[in-house]
Amino acid sequence: CDYINVIGAGLAGCEAAYQIAKRGIKVRLFEMKPKNYSPAHHLETFAELVCSNSLRSDQLENAVGLLKEEMRMLDSIIMKCADATRVPAGGALAVDRVGFSQKVTELIKGNPDIELINEEVKQLPQEGITIVATGPLTSESLSKSIMELIGEAYLHFFDAAAPIVTFDSINMDKAFRAARYNRGTEDYINCPMNKEEYENFWNELVNAELAEVKDFDREVVFEGCMPVETMAKRGIDTLRFGPLKPVGLIDPNTGSEAYAVVQLRQDNSEGTLYNIVGFQTRLKWPEQKRVFRMIPGLENAEFVRYGVMHRNTFINSPKLLEPSYRMRKNPNIYFAGQITGVEGYVESASSGLVAGINASMQFLGKGDVLFPRTTAIGALSNYISDKNVKDFQPMNVNFGLMEGLGVKIRDKRKKNYEMAQRALQEIRKYCDDRI
Ligand code: FAD
């Protein structure tokens, strides 16, 4: 077999395909869109961001910020395209959703070493090396084929997406532009609420009607992407200490902080669309319109996309995978992306990067390239393949997964910064001809 198969042109699949092709190896990249779509995908183009348009923090003191920097150093296509299509979002890296996806597609389609095969893969290929990067909503027939291969059922949880509204429909007499603590000026639109408005809103939110979700058996939701109504049900003030936190946001109309603030983040570079931050939801669509329009400034909000919830599947990676994302039992099969239990856009792409490099090394008859736990990228691949992890749950990258410094530094920001510097120094060693 003179090529490597990559199934799925999502965040992980595109990154893996790019990493293989840049090492002079031919890739067959399979993507089922636009013939078939998962329930969360809408765009014809690749590397689609299915919910938020934010790739989260871009600061080195934050583990996902560090992961981004490591990936930039390792020539990640996802980071290159994200940097090129960024929209203002304070200390975070948010992108023009459509522009980002188009840019990745352009680079992948324009690569002479990548052959695009526009079809749904129903059975795992029997020949050659294959990277499975079909995401948390892998199509049904392929899911069955994977289950036969791994010999056990999938694990799963439920993940929700937030609604998007048009800028023109936001009442800017009530809403105001500002970034928290003035970090990155005026990047967010803020809808301030007084106590009465907040309590009325909370009351309607916790009592609103929920949509039926296929196979939704019990509330297995991911903490990092919890539906806003689920969080609200934990207590009347939970949202005010979470996504509706008012601190650091001064309302110019009153000169003070409001009781609660709903933030909206720019969703495209033209600034015509905004998503409601933290408002991933399972409410019925008419209920979303009714309840979210109670937010001051959103009285006439026009929803271009409603929030939805989906079943999100992943494999029991600690039992099945090596830190290279290769299967222990079947060395020709790699998994990458959210299906491995890494959680998040950047984390998914990072696993595609590691799987892509290692599939290439295997193809070329060279040894594995394993990043150590002193790096964010290595900490994540070590976590998903750690046989000692028992109740395996999807995980965002975090400093807790990384090897400690061995010295006590009380100031958390300083400690994280030191860990980040150590990581980047380590990654520099991989930026030579060796890989
Ligand atoms: P995907 O990006 O989903 O890519 C998989 C690709 O494979 C798709 O293009 C799909 O069409 C294709 N495919 C599937 N089956 C087949 C097949 N049989 N043959 C050929 N092609 C196939 N993460 C965040 O960081 N922030 C968020 O806000 C966020 N919100 C989420 C909301 C929802 C509803 C879900 C489900 C997930 C969310 N995630 C979020 C988690 C995760 O980061 C994303 O799912 C991310 O897209 C995963 O990347 P991936 O490359 O693994 O899969």
Side-chain angles (χ1 to χ4, degrees):
C1 199
D2 57 359
Y3 51 81
I4 295 177
N5 300 304
V6 176
I7 315 178
L11 292 155
C14 288
E15 187 64 62
Y18 174 77
Q19 293 296 331
I20 298 165
K22 74 171 260 185
R23 288 172 171 82
I25 303 163
K26 300 256 180 246
V27 182
R28 284 182 146 199
L29 177 60
F30 295 82
E31 172 54 54
M32 66 179 186
K33 292 195 305 180
K35 287 184 186 158
N36 298 329
Y37 284 91
S38 87
H41 288 82
H42 304 276
L43 301 178
E44 283 196 7
T45 42
F46 305 159
E48 179 173 349
L49 304 177
V50 289
C51 175
S52 166
N53 67 325
S54 171
L55 275 61
R56 318 203 312 277
S57 172
D58 204 17
Q59 327 247 306
L60 276 185
E61 293 85 353
N62 188 304
V64 76
L66 170 62
L67 181 61
K68 287 189 185 73
E69 196 52 33
E70 293 179 4
M71 290 170 67
R72 286 187 184 105
M73 289 168 71
L74 294 165
D75 186 30
S76 151
I77 185 178
I78 293 299
M79 287 315 304
K80 208 183 316 212
C81 295
D83 286 333
T85 55
R86 74 189 298 157
V87 295
L93 171 57
V95 300
D96 176 321
R97 184 191 306 279
V98 173
F100 165 74
S101 172
Q102 278 173 350
K103 182 129 192 97
V104 176
T105 310
E106 223 172 83
L107 292 183
I108 292 287
K109 284 193 171 167
N111 190 315
D113 287 322
I114 303 177
E115 180 192 351
L116 181 67
I117 300 169
N118 193 205
E119 63 187 46
E120 179 188 342
V121 175
K122 299 193 169 165
Q123 290 281 329
L124 286 168
Q126 300 296 314
E127 272 183 35
I129 300 171
T130 295
I131 300 180
V132 183
T134 42
L137 302 161
T138 295
S139 72
E140 225 167 291
S141 11
L142 185 61
S143 288
K144 281 198 192 118
S145 172
I146 295 171
M147 222 159 9
E148 280 161 22
L149 173 78
I150 61 180
E152 60 176 78
Y154 287 96
L155 304 171
H156 73 271
F157 67 100
F158 287 84
D159 209 341
I164 300 176
V165 299
T166 60
F167 172 71
D168 284 346
S169 68
I170 303 171
N171 178 359
M172 292 303 289
D173 291 338
K174 290 189 183 165
F176 62 95
R177 287 183 179 276
R180 210 180 289 281
Y181 305 116
N182 283 332
R183 260 191 226 145
T185 48
E186 313 212 320
D187 289 350
Y188 288 83
I189 291 179
N190 302 281
C191 300
M193 287 176 166
N194 62 30
K195 188 165 188 281
E196 193 188 345
E197 286 164 338
Y198 175 80
E199 286 177 357
N200 287 340
F201 167 75
W202 179 83
N203 201 34
E204 291 304 319
L205 180 61
V206 294
N207 291 307
E209 237 187 299
L210 298 173
E212 288 295 322
V213 177
K214 199 172 160 227
D215 301 330
F216 192 80
D217 39 17
R218 59 202 159 95
E219 301 243 327
V220 203
V221 288
F222 180 63
E223 283 282 326
C225 200
M226 178 177 294
V228 65
E229 62 278 2
T230 309
M231 192 182 282
K233 282 173 192 165
R234 291 188 166 179
I236 189 159
D237 282 326
T238 310
L239 290 178
R240 291 204 317 118
F241 290 96
L244 272 67
K245 185 168 63 179
V247 291
L249 292 166
I250 305 296
D251 179 352
N253 293 321
T254 60
S256 57
E257 283 176 5
Y259 190 69
V261 172
V262 173
Q263 291 201 298
L264 288 96
R265 187 194 301 113
Q266 190 175 327
D267 202 77
N268 60 348
S269 47
E270 296 79 25
T272 54
L273 299 178
Y274 276 75
N275 60 69
I276 317 181
V277 179
F279 271 58
Q280 50 278 0
T281 179
R282 195 196 145 192
L283 257 53
K284 281 192 168 163
W285 291 6
E287 288 288 80
Q288 292 186 34
K289 198 166 174 179
R290 179 179 71 81
V291 178
F292 299 163
R293 279 185 167 183
M294 292 176 73
I295 299 166
L298 300 188
E299 308 83 7
N300 296 310
E302 182 195 346
F303 290 82
V304 294
R305 186 177 304 170
Y306 286 101
V308 280
M309 183 183 251
H310 298 293
R311 191 174 204 266
N312 213 318
T313 46
F314 59 104
I315 58 172
N316 193 358
S317 294
K319 250 177 88 180
L320 301 166
L321 302 184
E322 307 267 7
S324 58
Y325 293 90
R326 182 192 303 127
M327 274 190 85
R328 294 209 178 98
K329 266 196 346 212
N330 188 336
N332 277 341
I333 305 275
Y334 291 73
F335 284 87
Q338 183 94 8
I339 197 169
T340 67
V342 296
E343 168 64 35
Y345 299 146
V346 184
E347 288 86 341
S348 293
S350 87
S351 71
L353 195 149
V354 177
I357 292 177
N358 281 289
S360 307
M361 292 298 130
Q362 184 182 348
F363 185 93
L364 298 170
K366 296 186 182 173
D368 287 348
V369 174
L370 301 177
F371 298 98
R373 272 188 57 232
T374 47
T375 64
I377 198 166
L380 207 53
S381 60
N382 275 283
Y383 171 73
I384 65 98
S385 57
D386 181 353
K387 286 181 184 161
N388 297 318
V389 172
K390 289 290 175 273
D391 176 25
F392 182 57
Q393 290 304 321
M395 185 73 93
N396 284 129
V397 68
N398 61 76
F399 282 109
L401 297 176
M402 292 173 64
E403 197 174 307
L405 284 171
V407 285
K408 217 165 177 64
I409 301 179
R410 267 171 214 268
D411 181 340
K412 197 171 139 206
R413 258 184 100 76
K414 190 162 183 296
K415 184 179 114 209
N416 292 352
Y417 182 79
E418 293 295 331
M419 286 177 84
Q421 291 307 323
R422 181 185 61 175
L424 296 181
Q425 210 167 351
E426 190 64 42
I427 293 289
R428 247 170 241 128
K429 295 185 199 155
Y430 292 83
C431 299
D432 55 25
D433 294 341
R434 213 154 56 81
I435 61 162

